[in-house]
Amino acid sequence: MANIKSAIKRVKTAEKANARNTSQKSALRTTVKKAEVAVSTSDENAKVLTTVAARQLDKAASKGLIHKNAAARKKSRMAKKVNSLQA
């Protein structure tokens, strides 16, 4: 354990940030998975769930939770699947 006061504070803030990031990333994965399942089962809510997931991906990328290119890649793949349902 650190002895210096600022290092102790840094450890505490890092733990809080880690817990928050883990929670948000888990929620993001859940949202994306729901959208993918809806698309694969050709659910009528697939378009809405994909829009929600895309929004979550954008927010996560803007906060630095995931890389912006990873978010763009996931959004693109979901959009492709949704568009193939409509065709």
Side-chain angles (χ1 to χ4, degrees):
M1 185 68 186
N3 292 329
I4 299 167
K5 191 173 185 180
S6 61
I8 293 169
K9 185 177 180 182
R10 197 70 211 130
V11 167
K12 286 181 183 176
T13 24
E15 285 174 353
K16 277 190 351 191
N18 188 13
R20 184 176 54 244
N21 289 342
T22 305
S23 170
Q24 288 179 346
K25 207 164 194 178
S26 175
L28 172 70
R29 285 196 200 107
T30 303
T31 307
V32 170
K33 189 172 272 190
K34 279 183 183 176
E36 287 174 350
V37 167
V39 169
S40 65
T41 60
S42 62
D43 189 13
E44 67 268 359
N45 295 335
K47 184 121 175 97
V48 175
L49 289 172
T50 303
T51 307
V52 170
R55 185 175 165 85
Q56 287 257 10
L57 284 165
D58 282 336
K59 283 185 177 183
S62 71
K63 291 178 182 176
L65 207 57
I66 60 172
H67 196 274
K68 65 175 187 164
N69 289 351
R73 181 179 66 240
K74 288 175 191 275
K75 283 171 40 182
S76 174
R77 287 177 181 171
M78 277 194 301
K80 231 185 242 184
K81 289 175 185 173
V82 168
N83 290 338
S84 70
L85 283 179
Q86 294 174 347

